[in-house]
Amino acid sequence: FLNMWLFAGAAIFYHTLSPFCNAAGLCTPITYPMAMYYSVQCGLSVGFGLLIERNGGPRWYTIFHGFVGVTVMAAALTLFLLRPGGRLVKQISGEEGEGASKPTSTFQRVVRLVPWPIVSLVLLFSTIVTFRCLYNHWSFTDGVYFTFFALSTGGLLSPGSVSDVQMLFCTFALVVGIPLFGSVMARAVDLSLDKHVQAVRSSERRQKKFHYLERKGWQSQAATVAEAYEKAAAAAALAD
């Protein structure tokens, strides 16, 4: 669905975007890579602002296109956090630790120990920064600035040019990088919720233990009083 939506948006934007004109007044006609780039950066709410529509009418579709993108990303984050077998679902349902399969080989242990989404994000982040520095002749700071706000959908710095290489690379970086960035952020939220749920369960266990000891204390006191009463009754019977 995501790919069909992005390609359909690119086909529409190809006919609705204005030619790109630089500061010198030289204009470049819209190409399909430019339309695809605009569909991705608009649909995923990056908003670089490098290209614009020809008039106000097509902007209603742009609003709809962005609304669908925000909805899809919010739904994906929710489904990830509430996925069957996920950490949060297991802890809420009280199934944590049940049925967990243990790694049987060294390869499986390595796969479980390495945070692959984080490693993948770091590799992609480094690739984008390197491309920016080499292709656009940007400084390292500008490359990192652009990459972070592109993947986090801030879009504070535009790509710099509208060449097909630039547009296709940006499209690839956004399509792969934004979901990956969102996955890492979702895992961070997952871990935060995990700690919160563990703290709540630990508090509940302490309260249950306290109530258990309190009941045991009352039972012990009642037994002591009953024993003392029996002894007093026996003593009174002997005296009579």
Side-chain angles (χ1 to χ4, degrees):
F1 170 77
L2 180 62
N3 292 331
M4 292 176 58
W5 164 65
L6 292 176
F7 278 106
I12 294 175
F13 289 128
Y14 180 77
H15 298 284
T16 60
L17 291 174
S18 298
F20 174 77
C21 299
N22 58 22
L26 299 176
C27 296
T28 303
I30 297 299
T31 62
Y32 192 78
M34 293 166 66
M36 188 66 192
Y37 151 82
Y38 191 81
S39 176
V40 172
Q41 66 94 27
C42 167
L44 299 181
S45 299
V46 180
F48 287 121
L50 188 64
L51 302 172
I52 59 174
E53 297 84 355
R54 290 179 180 176
N55 51 56
R59 292 192 174 184
W60 285 105
Y61 174 76
T62 304
I63 294 172
F64 169 75
H65 193 76
F67 174 77
V68 173
V70 171
T71 304
V72 169
M73 287 191 293
L77 178 61
T78 303
L79 291 175
F80 178 84
L81 292 175
L82 299 179
R83 65 194 184 280
R87 181 184 292 107
L88 181 60
V89 172
K90 283 186 176 180
Q91 289 184 341
I92 292 177
S93 60
E95 299 176 358
E96 65 269 24
E98 295 182 4
S101 59
K102 295 183 179 180
T104 58
S105 65
T106 304
F107 176 76
Q108 290 179 344
R109 295 189 184 95
V110 171
V111 169
R112 291 202 174 189
L113 288 175
V114 175
W116 292 110
I118 298 177
V119 173
S120 302
L121 180 61
V122 170
L123 292 176
L124 180 64
F125 196 99
S126 303
T127 301
I128 299 174
V129 172
T130 302
F131 176 83
R132 290 293 156 201
C133 294
L134 296 179
Y135 188 83
N136 288 27
H137 305 290
W138 285 359
S139 66
F140 177 75
T141 300
D142 289 342
V144 173
Y145 182 87
F146 169 86
T147 304
F148 175 79
F149 285 107
L151 300 186
S152 63
T153 69
L156 299 184
L157 184 64
S158 66
S161 69
V162 292
S163 66
D164 287 349
V165 174
Q166 186 88 265
M167 297 291 94
L168 291 175
F169 183 83
C170 282
T171 300
F172 166 79
L174 295 178
V175 169
V176 176
I178 291 178
L180 189 59
F181 187 88
S183 173
V184 172
M185 294 298 101
R187 289 176 183 273
V189 173
D190 200 10
L191 290 175
S192 299
L193 292 175
D194 181 19
K195 293 181 179 180
H196 174 71
V197 172
Q198 287 182 355
V200 171
R201 291 189 178 278
S202 177
S203 176
E204 290 177 351
R205 285 193 292 267
R206 287 195 298 269
Q207 290 181 357
K208 289 181 180 179
K209 186 176 181 180
F210 173 78
H211 292 321
Y212 171 77
L213 294 176
E214 187 178 28
R215 288 195 303 270
K216 291 289 290 184
W218 281 110
Q219 291 174 359
S220 177
Q221 291 181 5
T224 303
V225 170
E227 184 179 358
Y229 178 79
E230 291 178 355
K231 289 181 178 180
L238 290 175
D240 293 341

